[in-house]
Amino acid sequence: MATATTGERAREAAGGGEVPVRWVWLAAWPVTAVFVLSNAATPLYVLWQREMGFGRGTLTVVFACYIAGLLGSLLVCGIASDRVGRKPVLLPALGLALVACLVFATAGGVGALIAARLCTGIAVGAVVSAGMAAVTDVAGPARRRLAALLASCAMVFGAGLGPLLAGVLSETLPGPAVTVFAVEAALLVSAVVVVVRMPVGAAHGGRGGGGRGAGGWVRVPGVPRGAGGQLALGIAVFAPGITATSFVLSLGPSLLAGLLGTGSRVVSGALAFAMFLSATGVQFAVRRLGRHTVLAYGAGATALGMAALVLAVRTGSVAALAGAALLAGAGQGMGQLGGLSLLNSAVPGARLAEANAALNVGGYLPAGLLPVSAGYLSDAVGLTTGATVFGTVLAGLAVAGGGVVLLGRRWASSAA
């Protein structure tokens, strides 16, 4: 007979129901650890550009390879997780993240950076579907709002912690890439320990069995009938928000170099950390508001952030650039929290990982395409014009998303 893990014994002690709340927090740690990796390379791009000699267009392509890996992973991992369980998806993903650390640490050319970013994207795709659903599984039905909050905050906090750690470590210790990714590998190993001991069963925690529904293993993820409206509202705000933060991550160091005349990896890492700290803090601030209200505020924050970005590049204002980063982070954070909360309220646990994957496909697809377009446009016409065009387009999309949310709330009120 197999020996029960500590996590499984915790669930048995709770009579198969709620586990201690510390396990809900611990279940979010693998999400944080993988998202630390997702942006740990950001402060190092300036260093790699100097050593390898590539431009802003190539830089955004390297970033977009991460998006490509992530989107490909989302086509499989959400469905697989709902069918075979969270751990069989999460453990290989963490292993692949460790491989990415090794490739980053020894990268000698653009090809290695692309391979590492692809591996990172695949691991992140598994985590945003299976990992975030695992937090909900561990939390149980009575803690679904807490689960949405912790899963969402784990994602954005990790995304911000990565560049800050990388910036500080790479500036203060020898062997920047090796040091940064050795530390990240240690974080990932701790996440492996958490997943092994996590109190979820082998096949979705045993609730519902609906994860074994019909359909192929590789397909565009979706949601059950009746939940499409909630998914659309989440994507309408989450997509512009995460696209805004993706742009700041990919070209933020170049903007800082132009405005401040500095290539400091600490400064660029601190800017990214502040952006995602804003995304984390705002979610705790608005957690008691209605879901539609959170989404509407998120759309407004993204639109204002892009207006501040345009102001920053046209006036050379560092304060405006910092404001753009903070507002972009707030926009992503609220869009993400609102979208996850709507799905948690409408989708059964047996389809939740696939639903999370669908939300992220809708968000990351424009987050990969638009910054690449902006990067090449900036190479062709200059950073000021390229960033202005990008900011204007994205602000318009955010306003449109906010309008969709307000119409959806009005429709829901009239239907009630």
Side-chain angles (χ1 to χ4, degrees), residues 253-281:
S254 298
L255 288 170
L256 283 172
L259 295 178
L260 292 178
T262 178
S264 169
R265 296 185 290 276
V266 174
V267 173
S268 62
L271 178 69
F273 179 72
M275 178 169 67
F276 287 111
L277 187 63
S278 169
T280 303

Side-chain angles (χ1 to χ4, degrees), residues 67-208:
I67 303 293
L70 188 154
L71 291 174
S73 178
L74 289 173
L75 299 180
V76 180
C77 289
I79 297 159
S81 174
D82 285 335
R83 292 184 179 183
V84 304
R86 311 308 184 201
K87 293 182 183 183
V89 173
L90 288 174
L91 290 173
L94 290 168
L96 194 59
L98 286 165
V99 171
C101 287
L102 177 62
V103 177
F104 269 131
T106 58
V110 173
L113 296 180
I114 288 174
R117 290 297 281 171
L118 278 170
C119 290
T120 302
I122 294 169
V124 169
V127 163
V128 298
S129 51
M132 298 175 89
V135 179
T136 302
D137 288 352
V138 172
R143 295 170 174 163
R144 282 203 157 201
R145 288 185 71 96
L146 174 64
L149 176 65
L150 293 183
S152 184
C153 287
M155 174 178 167
V156 292
F157 182 71
L161 185 59
L164 179 64
L165 279 176
V168 172
L169 293 174
S170 66
E171 288 278 11
T172 58
L173 295 175
V178 173
T179 301
V180 167
F181 292 104
V183 171
E184 167 57 12
L187 298 181
L188 289 168
V189 169
S190 71
V192 170
V193 174
V194 169
V195 171
V196 168
R197 300 165 69 88
M198 190 183 295
V200 291
H204 173 62
R207 286 197 293 273

